[in-house]
Amino acid sequence: MRKIIKFTTDYVGYVVKGGPKFYAWLGFLGIFVLFWMYGNYMQWTEGMIVTGLTDQVSWGLYLANFVFLVGVAAGAVTVVFPAYVYKHKALHEVAVLGEMLAIAAVVMCLLFVFNHMGRPDRVWHMLPYIGIFNWPNSMLTWDVLVLSVYLVLNVVGGFYFLYMKYTDQKLNKLFYMPIIYIAIVWALSIHTVTGFLLNTMPARPLWHTGMMPIRFIITAFAAGPSLIIIVFLTIRKNTKLWIKDEAINMLSQIIVWCLGIALFLTLSEVVTDLYHPTEHSAGLEYLMLGHNGLNRLVPWFWSSLAMMVVAFVMLLFPSVRKNHNKLVVACVLAFVGIWIEKGMGLLIPGSIPSPIGEFTEYYPTLLEIFNSIGNWAIGFIVLTVLLKGAIGILLGDIKYAKE
Amino acid sequence: MTDKKAPKNNPDIEQTSTCDTTEPSEKNKETESVSPSRRGFIKQMGGLSVASLMGTAALLTHSDDAEANTTWAEWFQGNYRLMTDEEKEQAIARLERRYTSEFGKQVTVDGTPAQEGVLFGYALNIQKCIGCRRCVKACVEENNQSRGDKQEIEWIRVLKMEKGEFTIDKMNDGYPGGYGIQVGGNAYSAAGVVLEGEHYYEPKKVPESDSFYFPIACMQCEKPPCVKVCPVRTTYREPDGIVVVDYNWCIGCRMCIGACPYWARRFNWGEPNLSSKDMNPKTHYLGNRPRMKGVVEKCTFCIQRTRKGRYPACVEVCPVGARKFGNLLDPDSEVRRVLARKRMFRLKADANTYPKFFYFID
Ligand code: SF4
Ligand code: SF4
């Protein structure tokens, strides 16, 4: 027990201390948190009327970010999977960082869900026993279930690993390995279920396709490692932890594969829907081409597509994958491209036209944007702190000192 | 309640513009999103109680302890469907107290359960409907929806369906024909898609000769997708076939709005705006009692009326008698007789939701 207390104090003591760069970064993120506090206060007191959502487009920016971030959380498995299943050495050394990323991403997911809810004060209504958990009927309950288990798996797996490293003990394989393997499969489940959340609604034809879960997973495995590469390169630059080139290589190869498949799936969907467009294709048509002058989403769709194509082509060249300056560019393109694809390219056109055929455009309000950026900022604060602690332990900076 | 939104109920349809030129609340709200912010600040200055954080700000403007306790009790109450009879009584009494003090008049909240041997059904004659929107207005008055520019909620929408034109000079305009038949364009470049129709029409007179009208509202599906997706089962099907919402249990996730193929559900994006003058004090727990912000609502076949043997407000008000209502299990009911004699169909039968709302023609 004392060891655990010591671990906690050492860990916390380490993560709150840092150089000017560290504080500057946290301070920078903190500014957005101030806006976030204002935005949340307004939404809490006035209701969701402060957002741009309407009865026609009732799911917007919040849920779009949620869906994307579930993907990022699942994408962390691209570190863990090669590390443990293919015994990839370089990734194995830093696998715990992947778990930390997953934790931060799930935290962001939860923040976005709370923002999306009209009555966050009633969230206890969902708790089994005191409330009603409409499981297995409601897909949302499945999503809650898989996400919270995924969070627990990563917290337990990640911190168990760090704690053992901290006390310099050997991992209990019988306990640790099952967690890792379950977490790997579980990562697939979170994004699959999020896909089902949308595509089990025949009322929304754009979403009602069996392609959804696989597209979600594939794009997640491109967006996730893109972020991880950026994070890894930042860590290399700013800390003493040297993440090996092989680790980054492996990840960039995963990205290129997944991006290729993602583009292929998009193509299949577009051809299937638009060769002979029916009423059910109206959402996709609106997204790609606009509808009678309503074309707010059109530039988003095409820019997202362009970003993904450019990132894919760039990453095909080994010279780009090896040159880390260029690699970062490709990763940013892939990450942003997929973020757009999930939000402006999927979630929002799902509601346009509405089930009775009405085209309503959606404009997020400033407060909605404050809250969304704020959620990201909080997520990055969590991520920074988690990574800092994990790196400290990996480096041996935090260690159990026997008196 | 802004008067410009309330059409005078003039019975002479052919001569006056009886049409409610309702701008949809969902659109108005966007332009308004700045001003509520300022109001919120003032409210904050006035002191913020914990209970107001729980989303019941409106009732605590004159906060006294008994009322605050009521609020808490309401916040902690369980789901109506699972309450014992005693708990239901308590919940209803609590609400009556709250509404009565909030609206400054005696408000009753009814809890009449479904009667055995009753399955409510509705039939609408699209041949007769003239698109006057009286039903829309009567519904709002009966069911205590939010009014005004900031947030205007209507459960019924009347779709105007253009009859379409086939004229030689329009062949190249890409004019979408109202029958759903493509006019203009060619096989490779579609001229336009006709979706179901539009509900913002504002003609001088109804009916317009080039259109027919198609009212929609909640279809009270026998297989309701909205019920299936609700994570907390706050929306459910009652034994008499009415799909209801326990407004006190809804978490506002809007899954049901996504799942409903008929766009029948509305959301209280902000605190509903309902003056005590306009408030209909005869309410039902699962029906027209005033809602709070952040919850979903929809048509309940006027549960507060129909469970007491009355007609829904829209049926009573329809000037051409296009609306029929009754017990589907009773072979002699009006709705059953219509179904037996007329040519009928259900909207979006392909959605497989088995609506209990039927359309028919003579
Ligand atoms: S019409 Fe929509 S809201 Fe009404 S029961 Fe059917 S699915 Fe539910
Ligand atoms: S918005 Fe309310 S009624 Fe609709 S699914 Fe969510 S909790 Fe259920």
Side-chain angles (χ1 to χ4, degrees):
Chain A
M1 195 60 218
R2 274 199 47 206
K3 268 190 192 170
I4 293 181
I5 296 170
K6 194 87 197 348
F7 172 75
T8 319
T9 52
D10 278 0
Y11 182 88
V12 173
Y14 183 83
V15 294
V16 297
K17 270 189 285 195
K21 235 180 172 177
F22 175 70
Y23 289 124
W25 168 240
L26 289 188
F28 170 72
L29 294 174
I31 296 172
F32 296 108
V33 178
L34 290 179
F35 285 107
W36 173 88
M37 287 160 99
Y38 172 70
N40 271 278
Y41 170 74
M42 291 313 299
Q43 190 174 321
W44 188 251
T45 47
E46 292 297 319
M48 300 213 65
I49 198 156
V50 300
T51 67
L53 295 168
T54 55
D55 283 338
Q56 285 88 347
V57 184
S58 73
W59 297 9
L61 202 56
Y62 297 144
L63 221 62
N65 276 295
F66 164 78
V67 168
F68 176 73
L69 281 162
V70 172
V72 173
V77 85
T78 51
V79 178
V80 182
F81 183 78
Y84 288 96
V85 178
Y86 288 126
K87 311 272 181 266
H88 193 281
K89 264 239 180 69
L91 281 174
H92 193 265
E93 286 165 16
V94 292
V96 69
L97 301 186
E99 290 168 321
M100 297 295 128
L101 176 77
I103 296 173
V106 177
V107 168
M108 284 189 262
C109 289
L110 295 177
L111 289 172
F112 276 110
V113 167
F114 273 105
N115 273 156
H116 173 81
M117 283 171 65
R119 299 298 307 210
D121 58 309
R122 294 183 183 169
V123 69
W124 64 271
H125 290 184
M126 265 187 100
L127 298 179
Y129 300 111
I130 38 172
I132 304 173
F133 193 60
N134 187 11
W135 188 83
N137 267 323
S138 165
M139 271 299 158
L140 196 63
T141 56
W142 281 87
D143 218 11
V144 169
L145 198 69
V146 290
L147 266 177
S148 33
V149 172
Y150 189 64
L151 181 63
V152 170
L153 284 173
N154 277 291
V155 169
V156 171
F159 279 93
Y160 173 73
F161 176 87
L162 290 177
Y163 177 72
M164 293 316 249
K165 192 104 185 163
Y166 167 81
T167 51
D168 210 10
Q169 299 176 61
K170 270 187 81 106
L171 292 171
N172 178 356
K173 288 263 152 78
L174 280 178
F175 172 69
Y176 185 62
M177 290 323 284
I179 292 192
I180 291 295
Y181 288 125
I182 294 173
I184 289 173
V185 182
W186 213 268
L188 296 177
S189 83
I190 62 172
H191 222 17
T192 308
V193 172
T194 310
F196 288 155
L197 185 76
L198 301 181
N199 82 346
T200 48
M201 295 184 173
R204 310 278 163 179
L206 182 77
W207 296 339
H208 193 226
T209 150
M211 196 93 104
M212 191 82 97
I214 186 66
R215 254 184 94 182
F216 270 20
I217 286 174
I218 284 295
T219 49
F221 287 1
S226 298
L227 180 63
I228 294 171
I229 288 183
I230 298 170
V231 170
F232 277 6
L233 290 175
T234 320
I235 289 174
R236 270 185 20 168
K237 226 162 123 198
N238 293 297
T239 73
K240 282 173 280 162
L241 186 72
W242 186 256
I243 294 160
K244 297 208 183 78
D245 280 350
E246 293 90 70
I248 293 173
N249 254 333
M250 181 76 201
L251 291 176
S252 54
Q253 279 178 32
I254 295 178
I255 301 176
V256 78
W257 275 102
C258 291
L259 265 183
I261 299 176
L263 287 168
F264 177 76
L265 294 181
T266 306
L267 176 83
S268 320
E269 225 171 1
V270 169
V271 173
T272 312
D273 253 359
L274 295 194
Y275 179 77
H276 182 94
T278 65
E279 267 192 19
H280 288 186
S281 324
L284 190 64
E285 272 185 315
Y286 165 74
L287 170 67
M288 294 174 68
L289 311 164
H291 177 85
N292 291 342
L294 301 174
N295 44 21
R296 205 173 148 72
L297 293 183
V298 175
W300 290 103
F301 172 83
W302 292 103
S303 60
S304 149
L305 192 66
M307 283 182 212
M308 286 168 69
V309 171
V310 171
F312 174 63
V313 174
M314 278 176 79
L315 288 171
L316 280 177
F317 296 98
S319 60
V320 175
R321 297 205 297 269
K322 297 267 150 57
N323 177 331
H324 289 164
N325 289 331
K326 290 184 193 155
L327 178 62
V328 167
V329 175
C331 286
V332 170
L333 284 176
F335 189 77
V336 176
I338 292 168
W339 179 77
I340 297 174
E341 197 223 22
K342 283 283 159 311
M344 271 62 83
L346 177 82
L347 209 93
I348 292 162
S351 310
I352 310 172
S354 77
I356 60 157
E358 182 182 354
F359 287 82
T360 311
E361 299 217 289
Y362 160 69
Y363 304 82
T365 59
L366 201 60
L367 286 183
E368 221 173 335
I369 294 170
F370 283 171
N371 287 346
S372 301
I373 296 180
N375 288 343
W376 277 92
I378 294 172
F380 271 99
I381 292 174
V382 172
L383 180 66
T384 310
V385 166
L386 288 177
L387 287 178
K388 186 157 194 291
I391 291 168
I393 288 169
L394 287 181
L395 286 173
D397 283 357
I398 324 177
K399 240 200 184 119
Y400 184 60
K402 293 191 192 81
E403 291 92 54
Chain B
M1 174 96 185
T2 50
D3 280 324
K4 78 173 196 297
K5 302 233 159 235
K8 304 287 164 282
N9 232 357
N10 194 322
D12 199 348
I13 287 145
E14 292 300 333
Q15 283 160 31
T16 46
S17 62
T18 47
C19 281
D20 179 349
T21 57
T22 313
E23 278 286 309
S25 52
E26 299 76 28
K27 280 191 174 158
N28 289 337
K29 158 175 116 40
E30 282 161 30
T31 51
E32 287 282 328
S33 58
V34 184
S35 57
S37 319
R38 207 172 296 130
R39 252 184 18 128
F41 248 88
I42 297 163
K43 204 190 279 169
Q44 180 205 17
M45 298 304 167
L48 194 72
S49 64
V50 186
S52 82
L53 280 178
M54 293 309 163
T56 47
L59 68 138
L60 281 182
T61 36
H62 41 273
S63 147
D64 63 53
D65 275 357
E67 238 173 279
N69 286 340
T70 316
T71 311
W72 277 107
E74 197 179 327
W75 191 74
F76 279 113
Q77 82 187 27
N79 178 242
Y80 189 74
R81 183 174 55 96
L82 302 180
M83 283 183 198
T84 60
D85 285 346
E86 196 189 336
E87 283 167 339
K88 279 183 183 164
E89 266 165 37
Q90 283 166 2
I92 284 175
R94 242 186 339 255
L95 282 173
E96 284 181 338
R97 267 202 305 283
R98 171 156 85 77
Y99 291 141
T100 301
S101 86
E102 207 175 315
F103 291 95
K105 60 180 172 191
Q106 191 57 43
V107 178
T108 57
V109 179
D110 181 24
T112 310
Q115 290 157 44
E116 215 157 306
V118 175
L119 184 69
F120 286 122
Y122 206 118
L124 193 146
N125 189 339
I126 46 168
Q127 211 170 349
K128 278 199 173 145
C129 174
I130 53 168
C132 69
R133 286 209 192 95
R134 292 238 176 98
C135 49
V136 179
K137 190 165 177 285
C139 171
V140 170
E141 278 165 9
E142 168 69 26
N143 287 299
N144 288 324
Q145 282 100 322
S146 176
R147 344 248 156 124
D149 280 344
K150 217 175 107 187
Q151 170 165 274
E152 184 161 43
I153 295 180
E154 284 166 356
W155 291 347
I156 307 176
R157 292 281 166 124
V158 183
L159 299 177
K160 167 176 145 166
M161 321 289 272
E162 276 181 46
K163 288 180 181 163
E165 285 178 70
F166 298 94
T167 52
I168 192 90
D169 49 307
K170 292 224 170 177
M171 283 303 284
N172 295 316
D173 291 0
Y175 180 78
Y179 289 117
I181 298 166
Q182 182 183 314
V183 182
N186 56 48
Y188 300 101
S189 134
V193 191
V194 179
L195 296 180
E196 323 300 348
E198 65 108 354
H199 51 91
Y200 302 107
Y201 63 94
E202 297 173 27
K204 291 230 165 49
K205 249 194 233 169
V206 288
E208 297 149 284
S209 58
D210 62 346
S211 307
F212 65 94
Y213 302 91
F214 198 100
I216 54 169
C218 173
M219 305 281 156
Q220 316 294 352
C221 308
E222 276 297 272
K223 238 173 87 181
C226 56
V227 167
K228 195 170 188 177
V229 298
C230 178
V232 292
R233 251 187 217 176
T234 190
T235 186
Y236 56 96
R237 180 190 173 281
E238 283 272 290
D240 54 6
I242 302 179
V243 174
V244 294
V245 182
D246 177 357
Y247 312 116
N248 274 67
W249 192 254
C250 171
I251 60 172
C253 65
R254 309 193 286 290
M255 285 296 290
C256 52
I257 298 187
C260 170
Y262 303 99
W263 193 58
R265 293 183 162 250
R266 299 291 178 271
F267 193 68
N268 286 283
W269 297 99
E271 200 62 60
N273 178 28
L274 176 67
S275 68
S276 71
K277 178 167 78 53
D278 296 330
M279 195 252 176
N280 171 10
K282 278 211 173 119
T283 72
H284 190 285
Y285 185 99
L286 297 171
N288 62 340
R289 69 183 170 99
R291 276 73 69 183
M292 56 293 273
K293 75 165 179 265
V295 304
V296 145
E297 60 180 67
K298 66 167 195 65
C299 161
T300 64
F301 274 175
C302 278
I303 198 167
Q304 66 281 357
R305 288 166 155 255
T306 47
R307 281 205 178 156
K308 297 245 154 111
R310 294 176 66 198
Y311 277 127
C314 47
V315 172
E316 263 176 18
V317 81
C318 180
V320 291
R323 293 173 170 265
K324 306 286 170 212
F325 181 83
N327 180 4
L328 288 171
L329 301 181
D330 170 8
D332 287 331
S333 71
E334 214 172 349
V335 69
R336 272 289 292 276
R337 273 184 282 152
V338 165
L339 294 185
R341 289 177 180 78
K342 307 289 181 180
R343 278 158 289 177
M344 52 70 66
F345 67 96
R346 302 199 251 207
L347 185 58
K348 290 201 191 189
D350 60 318
N352 214 24
T353 52
Y354 298 95
K356 288 191 295 294
F357 194 106
F358 304 87
Y359 293 94
F360 69 98
I361 46 177
D362 286 322

